[in-house]
Amino acid sequence: MKDIAQRAGVSESAVSFALNDRPGVSALTRDRIRRVAEQLGWHPSTAARALSGEGSATVGLVVARPAANLGVDSFFLQLISGIQEVLAERRLGLLFQVVEDVAAECAVYRRWWAERRVDGVLVVDPRTDDPRVALLDELGLPGVVIGALPGGDTGPHPGLSQIRADDAGAMAAVVGRLHELGHRRIVHIAGLPSLAHTDRRIRSLRVEADRRGLTEAHSVTTDYSDTEGAAVTRRVLEHGTPPTAIVYDNDVMAAAGVVVTAGLGLRVPADVSVVSWEDSALCRLTAPWLTALSRDTVAFGRLAARELTALLDGGTAHTIQVPLPRLIERGSTAAVNGA
């Protein structure tokens, strides 16, 4: 402040008023002080802003998943890209951390809140029994839940918005299309069983199977990795009555499943149809190209970030339902022989 005051020819108090957007200096003086500050490379201290109650200009994102799996997960890469677009426009930083479980994630929230490290958080992977919602309510830390809360929970959470995806509706659409193609033995190779969206997909498969009389349709949970996806694929295809269609909860497992299928001497889609829950470039690098549920994940991230910035600006929390993903049919699905 002293250096800026000397170069601008004003008092240190005038510098303080100008840089903190407080009355007490003319518009002309304020502009001159800011130009000098910029020339000297001055930037506001986020630590000082937090201590003074002005906020940290940072939002947080914690992911409680194995770090090794995140590097190949196209969903998170695209989601973060969309989030970052909006935060960059607002000159907000993103504090990102990977932890081993939800308990560790909750500990991070408590520490960030105590240290005033973030102004709000983006919450991913809602759990079937999720302690984070009550914790954020308790801390009064604004947040946006990306994905529907368990059981359709909509509140009251005054500082927590939701971006809801219709996982049940998407699974019903996939099963309906496979049923039209003559498939009766359908296996869903799912993700982590503790996740609310995994639970909704599994439940939806059961409902659709019961409604359509598909007695051999079921789900198997994994950790989303290509290793487990491949292992489960091998197991179900070597069963006495293997499935004629497999639905994978991400593109990585689907691609691994195609490789395993070929290794067993089976053809996609002549012997087994394959559907990926997430569409990505990987789905168009396999042979054949993978049928996939497609949504604009980058836009999903932008929407979540905009909802969070709206909360930080004093807006009210609310719930937004995103459109149902579109099933893009490619070479990995076909009618069952004789159907």
Side-chain angles (χ1 to χ4, degrees), residues 130-263:
D130 204 320
R132 296 173 297 175
V133 174
L135 174 61
L136 294 175
D137 284 345
E138 173 193 332
L139 298 177
L141 190 60
V144 173
V145 177
I146 301 174
L149 292 173
D153 182 5
T154 57
H157 307 296
L160 206 61
S161 288
Q162 288 187 64
I163 309 296
R164 296 173 58 88
D166 187 0
D167 294 285
M171 176 60 83
V174 170
V175 174
R177 179 54 183 152
L178 291 175
H179 186 267
E180 288 176 358
L181 292 172
H183 295 280
R184 301 297 180 262
R185 300 195 304 275
I186 302 170
V187 169
H188 168 216
I189 298 184
L192 295 164
S194 61
L195 301 183
H197 67 253
T198 301
D199 183 65
R200 283 192 294 271
R201 294 173 191 180
I202 291 173
R203 289 175 181 271
S204 179
L205 176 64
R206 289 174 183 165
V207 169
E208 290 301 308
D210 290 345
R211 189 167 72 85
R212 299 174 186 275
L214 306 178
T215 58
E216 297 182 77
H218 66 280
S219 300
V220 183
T221 57
T222 70
D223 65 356
Y224 280 114
S225 71
D226 58 328
T227 303
E228 284 204 17
V232 173
T233 300
R234 179 176 296 276
R235 189 164 70 245
V236 299
L237 289 179
E238 289 180 338
H239 189 269
T241 53
T244 62
I246 304 178
V247 181
Y248 294 86
D249 260 4
N250 69 12
D251 52 345
V252 174
M253 292 196 297
V258 169
V259 173
V260 169
T261 302

Side-chain angles (χ1 to χ4, degrees), residues 76-93:
F76 276 107
L77 294 176
Q78 293 178 62
L79 183 75
I80 292 173
S81 295
I83 290 169
Q84 190 58 44
E85 280 186 31
V86 174
L87 297 185
E89 293 171 0
R90 294 286 298 263
R91 296 187 177 181
L92 294 173

Side-chain angles (χ1 to χ4, degrees), residues 5-323:
Q6 288 178 345
R7 181 170 294 194
V10 298
S11 66
E12 290 184 30
S13 60
V15 174
S16 177
F17 292 152
L19 297 183
N20 288 290
D21 288 322
R22 294 174 182 167
V25 294
S26 68
L28 186 63
T29 300
R30 189 185 306 275
D31 289 342
R32 183 168 79 253
I33 290 171
R34 287 181 173 174
R35 283 198 302 272
V36 170
E38 185 175 342
Q39 291 168 3
L40 293 176
W42 175 87
H43 294 284
S45 166
T46 55
R49 287 171 57 89
L51 289 172
S52 65
E54 296 181 29
S56 65
T58 303
V59 301
L61 171 61
V62 184
V63 178
R65 283 199 191 187
N69 294 348
L70 287 178
V72 294
D73 193 317
S74 63
F75 172 81
F76 276 107
L77 294 176
Q78 293 178 62
L79 183 75
I80 292 173
S81 295
I83 290 169
Q84 190 58 44
E85 280 186 31
V86 174
L87 297 185
E89 293 171 0
R90 294 286 298 263
R91 296 187 177 181
L92 294 173
L94 178 65
L95 185 56
F96 178 69
Q97 189 162 342
V98 179
V99 296
E100 60 184 10
D101 54 32
V102 172
E105 182 176 343
C106 289
V108 170
Y109 292 150
R110 289 189 180 277
R111 184 174 71 253
W112 283 353
W113 174 81
E115 297 173 355
R116 301 179 183 178
R117 295 285 301 279
V118 299
D119 300 326
V121 294
L122 294 156
V123 182
V124 296
D125 288 342
R127 263 58 179 184
T128 52
D129 184 15
D130 204 320
R132 296 173 297 175
V133 174
L135 174 61
L136 294 175
D137 284 345
E138 173 193 332
L139 298 177
L141 190 60
V144 173
V145 177
I146 301 174
L149 292 173
D153 182 5
T154 57
H157 307 296
L160 206 61
S161 288
Q162 288 187 64
I163 309 296
R164 296 173 58 88
D166 187 0
D167 294 285
M171 176 60 83
V174 170
V175 174
R177 179 54 183 152
L178 291 175
H179 186 267
E180 288 176 358
L181 292 172
H183 295 280
R184 301 297 180 262
R185 300 195 304 275
I186 302 170
V187 169
H188 168 216
I189 298 184
L192 295 164
S194 61
L195 301 183
H197 67 253
T198 301
D199 183 65
R200 283 192 294 271
R201 294 173 191 180
I202 291 173
R203 289 175 181 271
S204 179
L205 176 64
R206 289 174 183 165
V207 169
E208 290 301 308
D210 290 345
R211 189 167 72 85
R212 299 174 186 275
L214 306 178
T215 58
E216 297 182 77
H218 66 280
S219 300
V220 183
T221 57
T222 70
D223 65 356
Y224 280 114
S225 71
D226 58 328
T227 303
E228 284 204 17
V232 173
T233 300
R234 179 176 296 276
R235 189 164 70 245
V236 299
L237 289 179
E238 289 180 338
H239 189 269
T241 53
T244 62
I246 304 178
V247 181
Y248 294 86
D249 260 4
N250 69 12
D251 52 345
V252 174
M253 292 196 297
V258 169
V259 173
V260 169
T261 302
L264 293 173
L266 299 173
R267 297 163 299 162
V268 175
D271 299 310
V272 185
S273 284
V274 169
V275 178
S276 169
W277 198 275
E278 296 292 341
D279 192 18
S280 71
L282 183 58
C283 294
R284 299 181 296 280
L285 293 174
T286 62
W289 285 15
L290 297 181
T291 294
L293 280 168
S294 178
R295 59 183 167 187
D296 191 341
T297 307
V298 174
F300 201 32
R302 286 196 293 261
L303 177 59
R306 288 194 182 106
E307 284 303 305
L308 183 56
T309 57
L311 286 176
L312 299 182
D313 290 340
T316 57
H318 59 288
T319 298
I320 297 176
Q321 181 76 51
V322 298

